[in-house]
PDB file of all heavy atoms in Angstrom:
ATOM      1  N   GLU A   1      75.923  97.426  72.012  1.00  0.00           N
ATOM      2  CA  GLU A   1      76.576  96.068  71.884  1.00  0.00           C
ATOM      3  C   GLU A   1      77.380  95.605  73.166  1.00  0.00           C
ATOM      4  O   GLU A   1      77.355  94.393  73.420  1.00  0.00           O
ATOM      5  CB  GLU A   1      77.495  96.058  70.728  1.00  0.00           C
ATOM      6  CG  GLU A   1      78.127  94.782  70.317  1.00  0.00           C
ATOM      7  CD  GLU A   1      79.009  94.877  69.092  1.00  0.00           C
ATOM      8  OE1 GLU A   1      78.776  95.736  68.345  1.00  0.00           O
ATOM      9  OE2 GLU A   1      79.755  93.906  68.852  1.00  0.00           O
ATOM     10  N   LYS A   2      78.053  96.561  73.799  1.00  0.00           N
ATOM     11  CA  LYS A   2      78.871  96.175  74.941  1.00  0.00           C
ATOM     12  C   LYS A   2      78.530  97.188  76.126  1.00  0.00           C
ATOM     13  O   LYS A   2      78.581  98.346  75.844  1.00  0.00           O
ATOM     14  CB  LYS A   2      80.285  96.262  74.470  1.00  0.00           C
ATOM     15  CG  LYS A   2      81.317  95.710  75.645  1.00  0.00           C
ATOM     16  CD  LYS A   2      81.293  94.252  75.800  1.00  0.00           C
ATOM     17  CE  LYS A   2      82.326  93.797  76.716  1.00  0.00           C
ATOM     18  NZ  LYS A   2      82.210  92.315  77.095  1.00  0.00           N
ATOM     19  N   LEU A   3      78.664  96.673  77.233  1.00  0.00           N
ATOM     20  CA  LEU A   3      78.374  97.565  78.435  1.00  0.00           C
ATOM     21  C   LEU A   3      79.551  97.196  79.428  1.00  0.00           C
ATOM     22  O   LEU A   3      79.778  96.119  79.813  1.00  0.00           O
ATOM     23  CB  LEU A   3      77.109  97.357  79.100  1.00  0.00           C
ATOM     24  CG  LEU A   3      75.792  97.733  78.411  1.00  0.00           C
ATOM     25  CD1 LEU A   3      74.537  97.336  78.985  1.00  0.00           C
ATOM     26  CD2 LEU A   3      75.727  99.362  78.023  1.00  0.00           C
ATOM     27  N   LYS A   4      80.064  98.303  80.032  1.00  0.00           N
ATOM     28  CA  LYS A   4      81.203  98.138  81.013  1.00  0.00           C
ATOM     29  C   LYS A   4      80.893  99.051  82.183  1.00  0.00           C
ATOM     30  O   LYS A   4      80.284 100.179  81.966  1.00  0.00           O
ATOM     31  CB  LYS A   4      82.538  98.414  80.303  1.00  0.00           C
ATOM     32  CG  LYS A   4      82.848  97.602  79.199  1.00  0.00           C
ATOM     33  CD  LYS A   4      84.255  98.066  78.564  1.00  0.00           C
ATOM     34  CE  LYS A   4      84.617  97.263  77.379  1.00  0.00           C
ATOM     35  NZ  LYS A   4      85.826  97.618  76.767  1.00  0.00           N
ATOM     36  N   PHE A   5      81.410  98.732  83.356  1.00  0.00           N
ATOM     37  CA  PHE A   5      81.260  99.467  84.536  1.00  0.00           C
ATOM     38  C   PHE A   5      82.549  99.494  85.311  1.00  0.00           C
ATOM     39  O   PHE A   5      83.205  98.372  85.513  1.00  0.00           O
ATOM     40  CB  PHE A   5      80.083  99.028  85.416  1.00  0.00           C
ATOM     41  CG  PHE A   5      79.127 100.096  85.995  1.00  0.00           C
ATOM     42  CD1 PHE A   5      78.200 100.599  85.289  1.00  0.00           C
ATOM     43  CD2 PHE A   5      79.433 100.459  87.333  1.00  0.00           C
ATOM     44  CE1 PHE A   5      77.363 101.508  85.785  1.00  0.00           C
ATOM     45  CE2 PHE A   5      78.558 101.443  87.881  1.00  0.00           C
ATOM     46  CZ  PHE A   5      77.465 101.908  87.103  1.00  0.00           C
ATOM     47  N   LEU A   6      82.998 100.733  85.912  1.00  0.00           N
ATOM     48  CA  LEU A   6      84.064 100.742  86.709  1.00  0.00           C
ATOM     49  C   LEU A   6      83.653 100.354  88.221  1.00  0.00           C
ATOM     50  O   LEU A   6      82.817 100.737  88.735  1.00  0.00           O
ATOM     51  CB  LEU A   6      84.679 102.168  86.686  1.00  0.00           C
ATOM     52  CG  LEU A   6      85.021 102.695  85.281  1.00  0.00           C
ATOM     53  CD1 LEU A   6      85.593 104.103  85.371  1.00  0.00           C
ATOM     54  CD2 LEU A   6      86.076 101.783  84.671  1.00  0.00           C
ATOM     55  N   CYS A   7      84.681  99.522  88.790  1.00  0.00           N
ATOM     56  CA  CYS A   7      84.402  99.019  90.179  1.00  0.00           C
ATOM     57  C   CYS A   7      85.746  99.211  90.923  1.00  0.00           C
ATOM     58  O   CYS A   7      86.636  98.325  91.019  1.00  0.00           O
ATOM     59  CB  CYS A   7      84.092  97.568  90.031  1.00  0.00           C
ATOM     60  SG  CYS A   7      82.622  97.061  89.029  1.00  0.00           S
ATOM     61  N   PRO A   8      85.717 100.427  91.711  1.00  0.00           N
ATOM     62  CA  PRO A   8      86.787 100.587  92.598  1.00  0.00           C
ATOM     63  C   PRO A   8      86.864  99.282  93.645  1.00  0.00           C
ATOM     64  O   PRO A   8      85.864  98.964  94.283  1.00  0.00           O
ATOM     65  CB  PRO A   8      86.454 101.881  93.338  1.00  0.00           C
ATOM     66  CG  PRO A   8      85.678 102.635  92.331  1.00  0.00           C
ATOM     67  CD  PRO A   8      84.853 101.668  91.592  1.00  0.00           C
ATOM     68  N   ALA A   9      88.096  98.774  93.866  1.00  0.00           N
ATOM     69  CA  ALA A   9      88.239  97.694  94.502  1.00  0.00           C
ATOM     70  C   ALA A   9      89.400  97.557  95.253  1.00  0.00           C
ATOM     71  O   ALA A   9      90.568  98.130  94.845  1.00  0.00           O
ATOM     72  CB  ALA A   9      88.183  96.333  93.625  1.00  0.00           C
ATOM     73  N   PRO A  10      89.386  97.020  96.539  1.00  0.00           N
ATOM     74  CA  PRO A  10      88.238  96.369  97.221  1.00  0.00           C
ATOM     75  C   PRO A  10      87.014  97.363  97.284  1.00  0.00           C
ATOM     76  O   PRO A  10      87.095  98.461  97.466  1.00  0.00           O
ATOM     77  CB  PRO A  10      88.778  95.992  98.528  1.00  0.00           C
ATOM     78  CG  PRO A  10      90.233  95.954  98.525  1.00  0.00           C
ATOM     79  CD  PRO A  10      90.566  97.065  97.518  1.00  0.00           C
ATOM     80  N   GLY A  11      85.875  96.677  97.220  1.00  0.00           N
ATOM     81  CA  GLY A  11      84.659  97.394  97.221  1.00  0.00           C
ATOM     82  C   GLY A  11      83.440  96.552  97.707  1.00  0.00           C
ATOM     83  O   GLY A  11      83.652  95.565  98.399  1.00  0.00           O
ATOM     84  N   TYR A  12      82.215  97.121  97.539  1.00  0.00           N
ATOM     85  CA  TYR A  12      81.005  96.476  98.051  1.00  0.00           C
ATOM     86  C   TYR A  12      80.579  95.372  97.067  1.00  0.00           C
ATOM     87  O   TYR A  12      80.220  95.693  95.973  1.00  0.00           O
ATOM     88  CB  TYR A  12      79.966  97.714  98.237  1.00  0.00           C
ATOM     89  CG  TYR A  12      78.635  97.166  98.802  1.00  0.00           C
ATOM     90  CD1 TYR A  12      78.593  96.181  99.675  1.00  0.00           C
ATOM     91  CD2 TYR A  12      77.480  97.851  98.523  1.00  0.00           C
ATOM     92  CE1 TYR A  12      77.362  95.840 100.321  1.00  0.00           C
ATOM     93  CE2 TYR A  12      76.273  97.547  99.093  1.00  0.00           C
ATOM     94  CZ  TYR A  12      76.255  96.522  99.971  1.00  0.00           C
ATOM     95  OH  TYR A  12      75.094  96.209 100.549  1.00  0.00           O
ATOM     96  N   ASP A  13      80.464  94.213  97.657  1.00  0.00           N
ATOM     97  CA  ASP A  13      79.972  93.022  96.799  1.00  0.00           C
ATOM     98  C   ASP A  13      78.695  93.197  96.192  1.00  0.00           C
ATOM     99  O   ASP A  13      78.489  92.743  94.991  1.00  0.00           O
ATOM    100  CB  ASP A  13      80.119  91.680  97.627  1.00  0.00           C
ATOM    101  CG  ASP A  13      79.386  91.676  98.867  1.00  0.00           C
ATOM    102  OD1 ASP A  13      79.133  92.800  99.389  1.00  0.00           O
ATOM    103  OD2 ASP A  13      79.024  90.581  99.358  1.00  0.00           O
ATOM    104  N   ARG A  14      77.735  93.856  96.838  1.00  0.00           N
ATOM    105  CA  ARG A  14      76.364  93.882  96.226  1.00  0.00           C
ATOM    106  C   ARG A  14      76.269  94.883  95.203  1.00  0.00           C
ATOM    107  O   ARG A  14      75.586  94.748  94.216  1.00  0.00           O
ATOM    108  CB  ARG A  14      75.402  94.331  97.412  1.00  0.00           C
ATOM    109  CG  ARG A  14      75.317  93.195  98.476  1.00  0.00           C
ATOM    110  CD  ARG A  14      74.070  93.510  99.379  1.00  0.00           C
ATOM    111  NE  ARG A  14      73.976  92.624 100.524  1.00  0.00           N
ATOM    112  CZ  ARG A  14      73.389  91.444 100.542  1.00  0.00           C
ATOM    113  NH1 ARG A  14      72.692  91.042  99.390  1.00  0.00           N
ATOM    114  NH2 ARG A  14      73.283  90.721 101.537  1.00  0.00           N
ATOM    115  N   HIS A  15      77.225  95.916  95.210  1.00  0.00           N
ATOM    116  CA  HIS A  15      77.252  96.728  93.930  1.00  0.00           C
ATOM    117  C   HIS A  15      77.713  95.939  92.664  1.00  0.00           C
ATOM    118  O   HIS A  15      77.041  95.944  91.688  1.00  0.00           O
ATOM    119  CB  HIS A  15      78.392  97.828  94.169  1.00  0.00           C
ATOM    120  CG  HIS A  15      77.900  98.825  95.050  1.00  0.00           C
ATOM    121  ND1 HIS A  15      78.807  99.855  95.539  1.00  0.00           N
ATOM    122  CD2 HIS A  15      76.792  99.282  95.460  1.00  0.00           C
ATOM    123  CE1 HIS A  15      78.236 100.755  96.333  1.00  0.00           C
ATOM    124  NE2 HIS A  15      76.919 100.434  96.298  1.00  0.00           N
ATOM    125  N   PHE A  16      78.810  95.096  92.827  1.00  0.00           N
ATOM    126  CA  PHE A  16      79.224  94.434  91.715  1.00  0.00           C
ATOM    127  C   PHE A  16      78.235  93.321  91.323  1.00  0.00           C
ATOM    128  O   PHE A  16      78.123  93.072  90.063  1.00  0.00           O
ATOM    129  CB  PHE A  16      80.567  93.739  92.140  1.00  0.00           C
ATOM    130  CG  PHE A  16      81.604  94.661  92.802  1.00  0.00           C
ATOM    131  CD1 PHE A  16      82.596  94.140  93.632  1.00  0.00           C
ATOM    132  CD2 PHE A  16      81.649  95.886  92.384  1.00  0.00           C
ATOM    133  CE1 PHE A  16      83.528  94.976  94.149  1.00  0.00           C
ATOM    134  CE2 PHE A  16      82.598  96.745  92.888  1.00  0.00           C
ATOM    135  CZ  PHE A  16      83.530  96.244  93.771  1.00  0.00           C
ATOM    136  N   ALA A  17      77.515  92.802  92.319  1.00  0.00           N
ATOM    137  CA  ALA A  17      76.396  91.783  91.918  1.00  0.00           C
ATOM    138  C   ALA A  17      75.315  92.375  90.967  1.00  0.00           C
ATOM    139  O   ALA A  17      74.872  91.717  90.093  1.00  0.00           O
ATOM    140  CB  ALA A  17      75.928  91.227  93.133  1.00  0.00           C
ATOM    141  N   ILE A  18      75.038  93.622  91.174  1.00  0.00           N
ATOM    142  CA  ILE A  18      73.990  94.324  90.399  1.00  0.00           C
ATOM    143  C   ILE A  18      74.459  94.366  88.944  1.00  0.00           C
ATOM    144  O   ILE A  18      73.745  93.892  88.078  1.00  0.00           O
ATOM    145  CB  ILE A  18      73.624  95.714  90.873  1.00  0.00           C
ATOM    146  CG1 ILE A  18      72.959  95.645  92.245  1.00  0.00           C
ATOM    147  CG2 ILE A  18      72.692  96.362  89.912  1.00  0.00           C
ATOM    148  CD1 ILE A  18      72.688  96.901  92.928  1.00  0.00           C
ATOM    149  N   THR A  19      75.611  94.918  88.771  1.00  0.00           N
ATOM    150  CA  THR A  19      76.225  95.158  87.275  1.00  0.00           C
ATOM    151  C   THR A  19      76.489  93.787  86.749  1.00  0.00           C
ATOM    152  O   THR A  19      76.241  93.651  85.441  1.00  0.00           O
ATOM    153  CB  THR A  19      77.407  96.013  87.296  1.00  0.00           C
ATOM    154  OG1 THR A  19      78.135  95.896  88.445  1.00  0.00           O
ATOM    155  CG2 THR A  19      76.988  97.521  87.210  1.00  0.00           C
ATOM    156  N   GLN A  20      76.936  92.782  87.508  1.00  0.00           N
ATOM    157  CA  GLN A  20      77.178  91.517  86.899  1.00  0.00           C
ATOM    158  C   GLN A  20      75.746  90.889  86.398  1.00  0.00           C
ATOM    159  O   GLN A  20      75.738  90.209  85.351  1.00  0.00           O
ATOM    160  CB  GLN A  20      77.633  90.620  88.017  1.00  0.00           C
ATOM    161  CG  GLN A  20      77.936  89.160  87.484  1.00  0.00           C
ATOM    162  CD  GLN A  20      78.518  88.262  88.637  1.00  0.00           C
ATOM    163  OE1 GLN A  20      78.943  88.664  89.767  1.00  0.00           O
ATOM    164  NE2 GLN A  20      78.614  86.940  88.310  1.00  0.00           N
ATOM    165  N   SER A  21      74.680  91.054  87.223  1.00  0.00           N
ATOM    166  CA  SER A  21      73.417  90.390  86.766  1.00  0.00           C
ATOM    167  C   SER A  21      72.840  90.905  85.606  1.00  0.00           C
ATOM    168  O   SER A  21      72.027  90.329  84.856  1.00  0.00           O
ATOM    169  CB  SER A  21      72.379  90.740  87.907  1.00  0.00           C
ATOM    170  OG  SER A  21      72.031  91.978  88.169  1.00  0.00           O
ATOM    171  N   PHE A  22      73.304  92.275  85.170  1.00  0.00           N
ATOM    172  CA  PHE A  22      72.877  92.901  83.945  1.00  0.00           C
ATOM    173  C   PHE A  22      73.846  92.534  82.815  1.00  0.00           C
ATOM    174  O   PHE A  22      73.632  93.217  81.708  1.00  0.00           O
ATOM    175  CB  PHE A  22      72.577  94.378  84.062  1.00  0.00           C
ATOM    176  CG  PHE A  22      71.178  94.549  84.665  1.00  0.00           C
ATOM    177  CD1 PHE A  22      71.066  94.679  86.134  1.00  0.00           C
ATOM    178  CD2 PHE A  22      70.061  94.881  83.862  1.00  0.00           C
ATOM    179  CE1 PHE A  22      69.902  94.964  86.710  1.00  0.00           C
ATOM    180  CE2 PHE A  22      68.934  95.056  84.490  1.00  0.00           C
ATOM    181  CZ  PHE A  22      68.665  95.178  85.922  1.00  0.00           C
ATOM    182  N   GLY A  23      74.846  91.829  82.979  1.00  0.00           N
ATOM    183  CA  GLY A  23      75.785  91.469  81.959  1.00  0.00           C
ATOM    184  C   GLY A  23      76.960  92.459  81.645  1.00  0.00           C
ATOM    185  O   GLY A  23      77.590  92.399  80.698  1.00  0.00           O
ATOM    186  N   PHE A  24      77.168  93.434  82.536  1.00  0.00           N
ATOM    187  CA  PHE A  24      78.212  94.456  82.369  1.00  0.00           C
ATOM    188  C   PHE A  24      79.606  93.663  82.614  1.00  0.00           C
ATOM    189  O   PHE A  24      79.713  92.793  83.425  1.00  0.00           O
ATOM    190  CB  PHE A  24      78.135  95.536  83.415  1.00  0.00           C
ATOM    191  CG  PHE A  24      77.117  96.505  83.144  1.00  0.00           C
ATOM    192  CD1 PHE A  24      75.710  96.244  83.492  1.00  0.00           C
ATOM    193  CD2 PHE A  24      77.455  97.805  82.616  1.00  0.00           C
ATOM    194  CE1 PHE A  24      74.806  97.119  83.311  1.00  0.00           C
ATOM    195  CE2 PHE A  24      76.369  98.713  82.469  1.00  0.00           C
ATOM    196  CZ  PHE A  24      75.065  98.484  82.835  1.00  0.00           C
ATOM    197  N   GLU A  25      80.583  94.159  81.709  1.00  0.00           N
ATOM    198  CA  GLU A  25      81.922  93.775  81.934  1.00  0.00           C
ATOM    199  C   GLU A  25      82.308  94.773  83.081  1.00  0.00           C
ATOM    200  O   GLU A  25      82.365  95.966  83.044  1.00  0.00           O
ATOM    201  CB  GLU A  25      82.780  93.976  80.793  1.00  0.00           C
ATOM    202  CG  GLU A  25      84.298  93.750  81.094  1.00  0.00           C
ATOM    203  CD  GLU A  25      85.222  94.039  79.817  1.00  0.00           C
ATOM    204  OE1 GLU A  25      84.725  93.902  78.714  1.00  0.00           O
ATOM    205  OE2 GLU A  25      86.310  94.430  80.061  1.00  0.00           O
ATOM    206  N   MET A  26      82.860  94.149  84.192  1.00  0.00           N
ATOM    207  CA  MET A  26      83.270  95.057  85.335  1.00  0.00           C
ATOM    208  C   MET A  26      84.813  95.252  85.356  1.00  0.00           C
ATOM    209  O   MET A  26      85.562  94.353  85.259  1.00  0.00           O
ATOM    210  CB  MET A  26      82.753  94.431  86.646  1.00  0.00           C
ATOM    211  CG  MET A  26      81.312  94.451  86.678  1.00  0.00           C
ATOM    212  SD  MET A  26      80.665  93.627  88.301  1.00  0.00           S
ATOM    213  CE  MET A  26      81.010  91.835  87.989  1.00  0.00           C
ATOM    214  N   ILE A  27      85.226  96.460  85.430  1.00  0.00           N
ATOM    215  CA  ILE A  27      86.664  96.838  85.325  1.00  0.00           C
ATOM    216  C   ILE A  27      87.077  97.275  86.732  1.00  0.00           C
ATOM    217  O   ILE A  27      86.629  98.257  87.094  1.00  0.00           O
ATOM    218  CB  ILE A  27      86.929  97.985  84.273  1.00  0.00           C
ATOM    219  CG1 ILE A  27      86.323  97.639  82.972  1.00  0.00           C
ATOM    220  CG2 ILE A  27      88.346  98.289  84.249  1.00  0.00           C
ATOM    221  CD1 ILE A  27      86.424  98.705  81.931  1.00  0.00           C
ATOM    222  N   PRO A  28      87.920  96.486  87.398  1.00  0.00           N
ATOM    223  CA  PRO A  28      88.357  96.833  88.694  1.00  0.00           C
ATOM    224  C   PRO A  28      89.450  97.977  88.639  1.00  0.00           C
ATOM    225  O   PRO A  28      90.175  98.150  87.634  1.00  0.00           O
ATOM    226  CB  PRO A  28      89.284  95.640  89.163  1.00  0.00           C
ATOM    227  CG  PRO A  28      88.731  94.489  88.263  1.00  0.00           C
ATOM    228  CD  PRO A  28      88.468  95.146  86.989  1.00  0.00           C
ATOM    229  N   VAL A  29      89.364  98.978  89.589  1.00  0.00           N
ATOM    230  CA  VAL A  29      90.091 100.090  89.591  1.00  0.00           C
ATOM    231  C   VAL A  29      90.675 100.106  91.097  1.00  0.00           C
ATOM    232  O   VAL A  29      89.986  99.988  92.089  1.00  0.00           O
ATOM    233  CB  VAL A  29      89.285 101.365  89.251  1.00  0.00           C
ATOM    234  CG1 VAL A  29      90.248 102.668  89.657  1.00  0.00           C
ATOM    235  CG2 VAL A  29      88.756 101.355  88.011  1.00  0.00           C
ATOM    236  N   GLU A  30      92.022 100.216  91.170  1.00  0.00           N
ATOM    237  CA  GLU A  30      92.612 100.279  92.519  1.00  0.00           C
ATOM    238  C   GLU A  30      92.178 101.499  93.372  1.00  0.00           C
ATOM    239  O   GLU A  30      92.057 102.609  92.835  1.00  0.00           O
ATOM    240  CB  GLU A  30      94.149 100.236  92.314  1.00  0.00           C
ATOM    241  CG  GLU A  30      94.888 100.206  93.612  1.00  0.00           C
ATOM    242  CD  GLU A  30      96.341 100.246  93.456  1.00  0.00           C
ATOM    243  OE1 GLU A  30      96.850 100.358  92.301  1.00  0.00           O
ATOM    244  OE2 GLU A  30      97.176 100.257  94.441  1.00  0.00           O
ATOM    245  N   MET A  31      92.029 101.202  94.636  1.00  0.00           N
ATOM    246  CA  MET A  31      91.653 102.245  95.592  1.00  0.00           C
ATOM    247  C   MET A  31      93.029 102.678  96.097  1.00  0.00           C
ATOM    248  O   MET A  31      93.923 101.856  96.570  1.00  0.00           O
ATOM    249  CB  MET A  31      90.770 101.685  96.684  1.00  0.00           C
ATOM    250  CG  MET A  31      89.334 101.602  96.254  1.00  0.00           C
ATOM    251  SD  MET A  31      88.480 103.157  95.970  1.00  0.00           S
ATOM    252  CE  MET A  31      88.262 103.618  97.669  1.00  0.00           C
ATOM    253  N   ARG A  32      93.156 104.090  96.284  1.00  0.00           N
ATOM    254  CA  ARG A  32      94.345 104.594  96.925  1.00  0.00           C
ATOM    255  C   ARG A  32      93.777 105.372  98.246  1.00  0.00           C
ATOM    256  O   ARG A  32      92.673 105.235  98.562  1.00  0.00           O
ATOM    257  CB  ARG A  32      94.978 105.636  96.005  1.00  0.00           C
ATOM    258  CG  ARG A  32      95.393 104.861  94.757  1.00  0.00           C
ATOM    259  CD  ARG A  32      96.210 105.671  93.847  1.00  0.00           C
ATOM    260  NE  ARG A  32      96.962 105.016  92.836  1.00  0.00           N
ATOM    261  CZ  ARG A  32      97.619 105.521  91.836  1.00  0.00           C
ATOM    262  NH1 ARG A  32      97.805 106.827  91.664  1.00  0.00           N
ATOM    263  NH2 ARG A  32      98.217 104.750  90.916  1.00  0.00           N
ATOM    264  N   GLU A  33      94.762 106.069  98.889  1.00  0.00           N
ATOM    265  CA  GLU A  33      94.404 106.717 100.202  1.00  0.00           C
ATOM    266  C   GLU A  33      93.342 107.758 100.076  1.00  0.00           C
ATOM    267  O   GLU A  33      92.621 107.953 101.076  1.00  0.00           O
ATOM    268  CB  GLU A  33      95.688 107.198 100.917  1.00  0.00           C
ATOM    269  CG  GLU A  33      96.551 106.141 101.279  1.00  0.00           C
ATOM    270  CD  GLU A  33      97.843 106.616 102.085  1.00  0.00           C
ATOM    271  OE1 GLU A  33      97.952 107.813 102.187  1.00  0.00           O
ATOM    272  OE2 GLU A  33      98.618 105.670 102.499  1.00  0.00           O
TER     273      GLU A  33
END
């Protein structure tokens, strides 16, 4: 029913575009050192 994907951000825009195109809810995760 629902699909989600973790997206460390800032990150690669083309990664995010792939999961966006399949309708995933994208969850930003903060990048640390």
Side-chain angles (χ1 to χ4, degrees):
E1 185 176 339
K2 185 74 174 175
L3 294 171
K4 302 178 183 179
F5 220 84
L6 300 181
C7 300
Y12 182 30
D13 54 335
R14 293 189 186 273
H15 285 166
F16 305 153
I18 293 174
T19 33
Q20 181 183 352
S21 70
F22 280 89
F24 285 79
E25 177 187 334
M26 294 179 289
I27 304 173
V29 177
E30 182 182 359
M31 286 289 285
R32 298 185 170 178
E33 291 184 359

